[in-house]
Amino acid sequence: MTRIKPKADQIIAVCAATHGVTASQILGHRRMQPLATARQEVMFLMRMTRGDSHPEIGRRLGGRDHSTSMHGVRQVTKRAAEDADAARLDALTAAVHCPVLAKGVRR
């Protein structure tokens, strides 16, 4: 069974809801820790679930450079390997494919 690629807006909405921020904050330029973490998770999910290129991810997230996307994906991968973030990322990935599940995903 093939999965349909989730829309970028759907990924942003799920991550925003999970982190208690708005989609416009994720797309904005502020670098506060909660926003940066949510933004990095969006980058990770866009790369892993959609297969988007780093330049494409950067463009979709407010015109960021491709290296910002590369850094974000690396950071999320590193956090997942070091602690319990892996289970939460699995839940986020499932929620992206089925937004009804997003309510059960916690930071």
Side-chain angles (χ1 to χ4, degrees):
M1 182 165 89
T2 58
R3 284 193 164 177
I4 298 173
K5 284 201 289 189
K7 295 184 187 305
D9 293 340
Q10 187 176 350
I11 293 171
I12 293 168
V14 166
C15 286
T18 301
H19 286 275
V21 299
T22 65
S24 62
Q25 287 176 313
I26 287 178
L27 298 174
H29 292 282
R30 297 192 72 185
R31 297 187 299 185
M32 295 177 0
Q33 185 63 43
L35 294 176
T37 301
R39 195 175 293 126
Q40 288 172 346
E41 290 181 2
V42 169
M43 293 171 183
F44 176 83
L45 289 171
M46 288 177 78
R47 182 75 173 166
M48 298 304 152
T49 63
R50 296 175 46 84
D52 288 354
S53 68
H54 291 294
E56 177 63 22
I57 293 168
R59 279 191 294 276
R60 288 185 181 267
L61 293 178
R64 288 177 167 74
D65 190 73
H66 74 282
S67 62
T68 302
S69 172
M70 292 170 67
H71 175 74
V73 171
R74 270 195 307 267
Q75 289 298 106
V76 173
T77 304
K78 181 179 167 185
R79 283 195 304 265
E82 290 176 352
D83 60 26
D85 253 10
R88 198 175 61 73
L89 283 173
D90 287 343
L92 262 177
T93 302
V96 163
H97 288 290
C98 182
V100 173
L101 298 174
K103 294 181 182 186
V105 180
R106 296 284 180 242
R107 285 188 255 160

